[in-house]
Structure formats: structure tokens, C-alpha cells
Amino acid sequence: MADASRKFIRSLTGIWGPGYWVTWHPSSRQALGTYGTVRKRTVVPVGDLPDRDIEPATVDPRTKDGLVWYTKGAVQVKHGATAQTGVPMANLADAQGRMLVTFTRRNAVLVVYQGLSEHRLASQPKVAEQLLNRYLAGAWELDWCVVSHLVTAQSGTVLMARDKGAAIQFAARAAAGAGPVGLADLASKAHSTYSSELACELVGATVTPFYRVLRLRRRFVRGIEAAYGYVPGLRTSRDRPAQVPPEILEEVQDTPEAALEFVPQPDPDPDPDPDVGEEQA
């Protein structure tokens, strides 16, 4: 059976869009401009690019008030004496209401995010220039990746079953006159009172559920070395790092994608038991 991290990542891959990585563990937080090595389908930080090197981040116009996603046919929601199977659309109808969420399949997932927004590095040409300078100075590894796009949720609830029958109970306190609290409000208006057999239980936290990463193209770097010599030969002195040759710099300013590439999230093993998910409108 697949491990929890691979199941979770596969379940949520593509929800925000193609090419975005899924953060595992959901409680860990990525940061824009963080760079590092890739291990077990995540970026392990080595350092951060200073703002002066990459320019301030820009806000992507795509935002989303809320996102609810669950493993289709594997989530049951019960409140009062009513149970709903498959499509969890329950409400906590009163201020002291209870909601019981039960998972009928191992590794089933339910995520609820609120207040989603995306930030990205403002200038890819600037990033390409800085990474090339660092590489030529011997201060950058070709397999290092940098977080270039980051999706943040103001609050999120992330649940994953360790085994069939896993369950969690929520209590919500709705504001007077605000009406019933629905499943989408679990990210911010409810807290857990009981849980069992959950592989992941994260309730009401600020999270960074999705991100994208860039790295230097090996072919581009090897082309520089073939034309100008190996890295040590490009340095002007022992203690002074090399600068990107002007014609190369001009090229990356015009077409940064020649020097940079987006990296897909690693998924080395086939999944013999893929799950189907569904997003709640």
C-alpha cells in the first residue's frame, strides 16, 4: 500500500493548476524565494534568496475564497440524526452543533481551505541572473530548486485517514444571526473535540498548500561552459566571483525560460490503487 505522503500528494495534484507541487507534510510551510534540495517529493530548504536579488514578490490575480476537496465516496458526514454519504454537504445547524466526519477508506482525504491567494517572484530574468551568478561563483548546485510561486491559505483543515473507520468530531460556534456553519467553514469556525485513526489532523492553521519551483537548465549551463570554459576559468580572481557574460545576460533578460525550467514534483512509484477526488462547488 502506498505511503501517506504519496497518496496525499497524488490526491491533490492539479487542484490549483498544472505544475504546482502539493506541500507535505501539510503543517510545514514553504516561503517564496526559499531554495534547496528535493527529497521525498518536497523542497528541503538550504537558504533564501534576498529580496534585493530577486525583486519584491507580485500577487497573482487568481484568488479563491474557499476550497473544499475530498476523496469521492470515502467521506461520511453526520450531524444530529442525519448522515450523508459520498458528498459531504452537512451543516452545523446550531451554535453548539456537532459534526462527525468518518472515512470509509484508508488514506482518504478531506481538505478545507479559506482565504487562498498566490504570490510569485516578480522577475524571472532577475532570478535567472542571480542563479547563474551564484553557480559561476561556485555557490549554487545544479540540482537546487527555488520556490517561485506560493499559494497561501489564511486557514486550513487537512484530514487524512490512517485506516478505514477513522473519524473526527467538530464543534462549531456560529455567531448570532450568522446562520448555519457548513463544511466549508471547518477551516476557521470549528475545532475538533475527538479524533481517531487519522494519519494527518491539521485544523484551522495558516498553510501553504501549493507551490511551484524553478531550477537552472543543465543544458543551458553546459552550453556556457562549452563556450567560455569551465566554471573556475570564468572567475576574474581567486576571491572575486565570476559575472554572467554580457551576451548571456542579454539572452536571459529576453528569454529567461532558456535558462530556467519549472520542475515537476517527483512521483517515482506507480500507484496501484489511485483514488478519485471531487471538489465541492
Side-chain angles (χ1 to χ4, degrees):
M1 178 63 68
D3 66 90
S5 66
R6 182 159 66 87
K7 274 287 189 180
F8 183 83
I9 290 170
R10 277 181 169 247
S11 293
L12 299 185
T13 294
I15 289 180
W16 193 255
Y20 283 83
W21 291 34
V22 177
T23 301
W24 179 265
H25 187 273
S27 61
S28 63
R29 296 186 62 183
Q30 294 292 344
L32 206 62
T34 292
Y35 64 87
T37 59
V38 176
R39 295 179 186 171
K40 294 185 178 180
R41 300 179 282 278
T42 192
V43 174
V44 179
V46 172
D48 298 281
L49 295 178
D51 290 342
R52 65 178 181 273
D53 290 344
I54 55 177
E55 298 185 2
T58 60
V59 181
D60 190 275
R62 180 175 47 154
T63 61
K64 203 166 188 177
D65 291 337
L67 172 66
V68 177
W69 190 97
Y70 51 87
T71 304
K72 188 174 182 180
V75 178
Q76 294 181 342
V77 175
K78 182 178 181 179
H79 65 104
T82 305
Q84 299 180 1
T85 305
V87 181
M89 296 288 290
N91 285 328
L92 299 181
D94 59 77
Q96 298 298 324
R98 293 288 187 269
M99 178 187 290
L100 178 65
V101 179
T102 305
F103 298 89
T104 61
R105 191 183 310 164
R106 181 180 183 182
N107 290 328
V109 173
L110 168 64
V111 298
V112 182
Y113 300 123
Q114 282 194 338
L116 291 142
S117 61
E118 180 177 345
H119 291 72
R120 58 181 60 185
L121 299 183
S123 172
Q124 286 194 20
K126 187 75 170 179
V127 173
E129 177 186 350
Q130 290 303 319
L131 299 195
L132 285 170
N133 271 327
R134 287 167 178 255
Y135 177 75
L136 297 178
W140 190 268
E141 300 294 333
L142 278 180
D143 63 347
W144 283 357
C145 298
V146 58
V147 176
S148 59
H149 299 58
L150 186 68
V151 178
T152 302
Q154 294 176 359
S155 58
T157 290
V158 181
L159 307 172
M160 185 176 189
R162 177 178 290 111
D163 211 340
K164 179 180 178 181
I168 182 169
Q169 181 172 276
F170 290 96
R173 293 179 176 86
V181 177
L183 190 67
D185 296 310
L186 291 184
S188 59
K189 296 182 180 179
H191 63 276
S192 63
T193 59
Y194 164 82
S195 65
S196 66
E197 293 299 323
L198 290 175
C200 177
E201 179 184 343
L202 185 67
V203 179
T206 299
V207 291
T208 54
F210 310 109
Y211 61 103
R212 296 190 79 180
V213 302
L214 287 167
R215 71 181 173 199
L216 287 173
R217 290 186 184 272
R218 288 180 179 271
R219 178 179 293 184
F220 187 82
V221 173
R222 298 309 184 209
I224 294 176
E225 294 174 344
Y228 296 93
Y230 190 54
V231 169
L234 292 173
R235 299 177 184 174
T236 55
S237 71
R238 181 176 180 179
D239 299 319
R240 182 182 175 188
Q243 296 296 313
V244 180
E247 54 270 33
I248 299 298
L249 182 57
E250 182 178 351
E251 181 178 356
V252 300
Q253 290 293 326
D254 293 337
T255 55
E257 63 273 15
L260 299 173
E261 63 180 349
F262 286 108
V263 184
Q265 191 165 24
D267 187 14
D269 305 314
D271 188 349
D273 183 27
D275 288 328
V276 177
E278 188 168 325
E279 183 177 343
Q280 178 176 301

